[in-house]
Amino acid sequence: MSVLKNDRLLKALLRQPVDVTPVWMMRQAGRYLPEYRATREKAGSFLNLCKTPELACEVTLQPLARFPLDAAILFSDILTIPDAMGLGLYFTEGEGPRFERPVRNEQDIAALGSPDPEQELRYVMDAVRTIRRELQGRVPLIGFSGSPWTLATYMVEGGGAKNFALSKGMMFDRPDLMHALLGKVADAVTAYLNAQVAAGAQALMIFDTWGGVLSPRDYEEFSLAYMRRVIGGLTREAEGRRVPVILFTKGGGQWLPEMADSGCDGLGVDWTTDLKDARRAVGDRVALQGNMDPCLLYASPERIRKGVADVLESFGTGPGHVFNLGHGIHPNIEPEHAAAMVEAVHELSPPYHR
Amino acid sequence: MSVLKNDRLLKALLRQPVDVTPVWMMRQAGRYLPEYRATREKAGSFLNLCKTPELACEVTLQPLARFPLDAAILFSDILTIPDAMGLGLYFTEGEGPRFERPVRNEQDIAALGSPDPEQELRYVMDAVRTIRRELQGRVPLIGFSGSPWTLATYMVEGGGAKNFALSKGMMFDRPDLMHALLGKVADAVTAYLNAQVAAGAQALMIFDTWGGVLSPRDYEEFSLAYMRRVIGGLTREAEGRRVPVILFTKGGGQWLPEMADSGCDGLGVDWTTDLKDARRAVGDRVALQGNMDPCLLYASPERIRKGVADVLESFGTGPGHVFNLGHGIHPNIEPEHAAAMVEAVHELSPPYHR
């Protein structure tokens, strides 16, 4: 493995001093880039793009060629695990991801496979290895997974949910079943993330996209508890360095203190919480990642620069901040606007690190 | 006007003692009721249902015939104001509300009408009068409006938004335009709500459906400030009683203290915040309305009863609680499940009022 030339991200996530605030964007390899759309076209389908390591590597590196980002993030789908457990993932035009065999009862849960990441998910591990080789140590590579709760909602609903009728129905009426499902998924997520680290991922992020639709008590019992369990089972060192773990619950601003005690190193924060309040809530326990409103990238470069300045000022001085959007970059953003954001972070952040 | 026989809602919103916790449901007159679907069918279109006072009255009263609810809420659409301002509201199958003439620039804002509620919105006022007459004082009637920010997002987007690209784009790049729009909408909302009170509404609710997609600073500047302005202009007494005002920002759990200082009497709380935390945050300043996860109504009546008990216990003893769901009732809920909730509130709440 090459020596890491830019380790700002890893340092910031461990709350160690850096020269400038590191920056990357959730969904930075995505549809807002014309070169991504070209590769996606070449791949024929989204799933084929995910399952072809060379193409997944190609799109992972595309944003790095355009912007001086401080991290790469593995290009993949969050539903690779349920697919590998036997649910049969497919994509429909306009309707998003669907499963051929959703999980609805005891039998369905019993039938779930325990995927070996180097077998059923080998294409992901091959992508990680390919990306690491091609990165040549320029920036660290972030591996990721969906949270157990988030994956379970898709598995029970059979795809994206509007009201979470089936998944919450199971959670409320048959908590025993939901816990059995979450336990299996948590084990699969743990193995998957550890395999990514073994293949070369240098930091990990857990996306809890749907934890924020739960009440505080249900969030603790059905989402956070299983993320804690995953984190407890993770390899935390590789290539002689700590592998930091970032936890992100969209809409979880009220639960940051509990999340900070999960064993993670950093917390993703969406834009509905001020970083100064988030910092007050978590103290010195974890780093914070975020949190510009992704819609600010619709505005002019001057306005974007002001938005960056506001986020930097809200976090304030000292270590422990990774700049990011508060959610994935929208597909219809001008790449020049993303460039303005990245540039502004590097230009405006040094005073906060003196 | 008839003497009000059941004034639990009004008392609870003013934090006065009651015998049992009053209960109603957001969207209680809605698609989950077969009799609503029949009237909707008879009306021919959703818009016609809203614009025909007798039919709006009919659906408003339907849930009261089924459940011993403690309030009626005017059946109407939140987009009546922009329609009356000249935008041309229409509904498309599967895509929801659309405007023929969205607001995109200075000229569009200058061209907006100042609707006279007893002219362009007379059908709403007639509905209020008809409902009051038919209610015969059984329970109070709640009038409502969308918040200025929420209405402005629809007006700029031309309908429902996915990413709020256009409305947030205007907010970030042309805050002067957005403020001009919000000012006009706030004046129209104030006149509209006052006309509802004059027509017979006994409490008011402001639905800030999309305030929760803003950052804290943008929420204060573009949503809360205009709700404060609306509240400041409202008639607060009618028929010798105070007309309580409820403010509800979906996803606004982190901003309850600021919302409590808006001049309102009660705050709607969604299910992502525990009422005990909400109560701690707002102290004795306002009543709280909510906040059972609407998905709990997918579960069994026994589980629903437990959910009701949890919410009652979280609020605790003393006055100032109006039981509700944390969001509108979903369209595919069994009416019997709503009945189980209402019954449980009345059965389980007396100990909290001794």
Side-chain angles (χ1 to χ4, degrees):
Chain A
M1 298 284 184
S2 329
V3 174
L4 188 57
K5 295 176 191 95
N6 172 348
D7 63 356
R8 282 172 191 146
L9 175 90
L10 302 186
K11 282 184 167 162
L13 285 173
L14 301 177
R15 308 184 58 261
Q16 296 166 1
V18 287
D19 55 342
V20 303
T21 302
V23 52
W24 66 281
M25 291 180 289
M26 289 188 273
R27 245 185 262 156
Q28 63 190 18
R31 274 199 284 151
Y32 74 107
L33 292 177
E35 56 270 36
Y36 169 89
R37 297 195 295 269
T39 309
R40 162 76 181 72
E41 191 72 21
K42 186 166 70 179
S45 74
F46 176 74
L47 215 45
N48 204 40
L49 179 55
C50 294
K51 293 195 171 182
T52 311
E54 293 67 32
L55 297 180
C57 173
E58 187 175 309
V59 296
T60 297
L61 299 181
Q62 283 167 350
L64 300 172
R66 271 190 185 255
F67 319 119
L69 295 158
D70 296 296
I73 180 160
L74 167 68
F75 179 84
S76 192
D77 191 70
I78 63 161
L79 300 179
T80 52
I81 290 179
D83 185 47
M85 291 176 101
L87 271 62
L89 176 65
Y90 66 102
F91 285 81
T92 54
E93 199 61 54
E95 279 189 78
R98 306 289 312 163
F99 288 119
E100 284 168 31
R101 292 169 291 281
V103 173
R104 298 281 158 79
N105 55 40
E106 230 143 347
Q107 291 70 41
D108 295 340
I109 295 171
L112 288 172
S114 300
D116 176 344
E118 283 292 355
Q119 296 292 328
E120 291 91 336
L121 292 158
R122 186 175 182 102
Y123 65 91
V124 177
M125 306 311 145
D126 283 343
V128 170
R129 284 183 280 264
T130 309
I131 298 162
R132 272 302 301 273
R133 194 179 61 231
E134 296 297 319
L135 268 177
Q136 299 181 295
R138 272 186 288 162
V139 294
L141 174 63
I142 305 169
F144 77 91
S145 170
S147 74
W149 164 253
T150 294
L151 298 183
T153 64
Y154 287 98
M155 294 169 80
V156 175
E157 304 285 342
K162 194 162 176 244
N163 296 335
F164 301 93
L166 297 168
S167 43
K168 285 193 176 179
M170 183 190 283
M171 175 182 91
F172 288 129
D173 264 334
R174 291 295 309 271
D176 57 320
L177 284 194
M178 185 50 91
H179 280 301
L181 172 59
L182 288 166
K184 281 203 168 194
V185 175
D187 289 346
V189 167
T190 308
Y192 183 61
L193 290 174
N194 281 335
Q196 290 184 34
V197 171
Q202 291 148 297
L204 294 172
M205 183 153 170
I206 300 173
F207 286 89
D208 187 32
T209 314
W210 298 122
V213 305
L214 294 169
S215 70
R217 95 168 52 196
D218 295 326
Y219 174 71
E220 164 56 38
E221 180 176 346
F222 295 97
S223 184
L224 186 56
Y226 289 92
M227 295 197 284
R228 216 183 277 126
R229 176 165 153 183
V230 168
I231 294 168
L234 292 179
T235 313
R236 299 303 278 272
E237 208 177 293
E239 305 171 50
R241 291 188 81 132
R242 182 165 174 93
V243 180
V245 176
I246 311 160
L247 200 61
F248 178 50
T249 295
K250 172 130 200 302
Q254 299 180 94
W255 309 324
L256 297 174
E258 291 76 17
M259 294 167 70
D261 289 332
S262 65
C264 68
D265 301 281
L267 290 180
V269 182
D270 72 30
W271 67 96
T272 65
T273 302
D274 268 337
L275 286 188
K276 70 170 188 302
D277 296 327
R279 204 173 173 184
R280 199 178 302 129
V282 303
D284 287 345
R285 286 176 287 171
V286 291
L288 296 175
Q289 175 174 283
N291 69 344
M292 200 173 83
D293 184 342
C295 286
L296 251 161
L297 296 185
Y298 289 119
S300 67
E302 298 69 40
R303 184 63 186 84
I304 291 167
R305 195 175 171 87
K306 161 106 177 41
V308 168
D310 289 342
V311 170
L312 291 172
E313 196 208 340
S314 183
F315 184 85
T317 55
H321 182 207
V322 173
F323 197 100
N324 207 313
L325 297 169
H327 194 52
I329 183 168
H330 294 309
N332 52 348
I333 293 295
E334 296 288 339
E336 292 67 30
H337 288 204
M341 182 192 90
V342 173
E343 187 183 286
V345 175
H346 285 164
E347 276 184 30
L348 302 176
S349 63
Y352 295 98
H353 298 284
R354 266 174 213 145
Chain B
M1 300 280 185
S2 331
V3 174
L4 188 57
K5 296 176 190 93
N6 173 349
D7 63 356
R8 282 173 190 145
L9 175 91
L10 302 185
K11 282 184 167 164
L13 285 173
L14 300 177
R15 307 182 61 261
Q16 295 166 0
V18 286
D19 55 341
V20 303
T21 303
V23 52
W24 67 281
M25 292 180 288
M26 289 188 273
R27 244 185 263 157
Q28 63 189 20
R31 274 200 285 151
Y32 73 107
L33 291 177
E35 56 270 34
Y36 170 89
R37 297 195 295 271
T39 310
R40 161 78 181 70
E41 190 72 21
K42 186 167 71 182
S45 75
F46 177 74
L47 215 46
N48 205 40
L49 179 54
C50 295
K51 294 195 172 182
T52 311
E54 293 67 30
L55 297 179
C57 172
E58 186 174 310
V59 296
T60 297
L61 299 181
Q62 283 168 350
L64 299 173
R66 270 190 185 255
F67 320 120
L69 294 159
D70 296 296
I73 181 161
L74 167 68
F75 179 83
S76 191
D77 191 68
I78 63 163
L79 299 180
T80 51
I81 290 179
D83 185 48
M85 291 177 100
L87 271 63
L89 176 65
Y90 65 101
F91 285 81
T92 55
E93 198 60 54
E95 278 189 78
R98 308 289 311 162
F99 288 119
E100 284 167 31
R101 292 169 291 280
V103 173
R104 298 282 157 78
N105 55 40
E106 230 143 345
Q107 291 70 39
D108 296 340
I109 295 171
L112 288 172
S114 301
D116 175 344
E118 283 291 354
Q119 295 293 327
E120 292 92 333
L121 292 158
R122 185 176 182 104
Y123 64 91
V124 177
M125 305 312 144
D126 284 342
V128 171
R129 284 183 279 264
T130 310
I131 297 163
R132 272 302 301 274
R133 194 181 61 230
E134 296 297 318
L135 268 176
Q136 300 182 295
R138 271 187 289 162
V139 293
L141 174 62
I142 305 168
F144 77 92
S145 171
S147 73
W149 164 252
T150 294
L151 297 182
T153 64
Y154 286 98
M155 293 169 80
V156 175
E157 303 284 342
K162 195 163 177 244
N163 296 335
F164 301 91
L166 296 168
S167 42
K168 284 192 176 179
M170 183 190 283
M171 175 181 90
F172 288 129
D173 264 335
R174 292 294 309 269
D176 58 320
L177 283 194
M178 185 50 92
H179 280 301
L181 172 59
L182 288 166
K184 282 203 167 193
V185 175
D187 290 345
V189 167
T190 309
Y192 184 60
L193 290 174
N194 281 337
Q196 289 184 36
V197 171
Q202 292 147 296
L204 294 172
M205 182 153 170
I206 300 173
F207 286 90
D208 187 32
T209 314
W210 298 124
V213 305
L214 294 170
S215 71
R217 96 169 49 199
D218 295 327
Y219 174 71
E220 164 56 38
E221 180 176 346
F222 295 96
S223 184
L224 186 55
Y226 290 92
M227 294 196 286
R228 217 183 278 125
R229 175 164 154 183
V230 168
I231 294 169
L234 291 180
T235 312
R236 298 304 278 274
E237 208 177 294
E239 306 172 49
R241 290 188 81 133
R242 182 164 173 93
V243 180
V245 177
I246 310 160
L247 199 62
F248 178 50
T249 294
K250 174 131 200 301
Q254 299 180 96
W255 309 322
L256 297 174
E258 291 77 16
M259 293 167 70
D261 289 332
S262 64
C264 68
D265 301 281
L267 291 180
V269 183
D270 72 31
W271 68 96
T272 65
T273 302
D274 267 337
L275 286 187
K276 70 170 186 302
D277 297 326
R279 204 174 173 183
R280 199 177 304 128
V282 303
D284 287 345
R285 285 176 287 170
V286 290
L288 296 175
Q289 176 174 284
N291 71 344
M292 199 173 82
D293 184 343
C295 286
L296 251 161
L297 296 186
Y298 289 120
S300 66
E302 298 69 39
R303 183 63 186 84
I304 291 167
R305 195 175 171 87
K306 161 109 178 36
V308 168
D310 288 342
V311 170
L312 291 172
E313 196 208 341
S314 183
F315 184 86
T317 56
H321 182 209
V322 173
F323 197 100
N324 207 315
L325 296 170
H327 193 52
I329 184 168
H330 294 306
N332 52 349
I333 293 295
E334 296 289 338
E336 292 68 30
H337 288 204
M341 184 192 90
V342 174
E343 187 183 287
V345 175
H346 286 163
E347 275 185 30
L348 302 175
S349 63
Y352 294 98
H353 299 285
R354 266 176 212 140

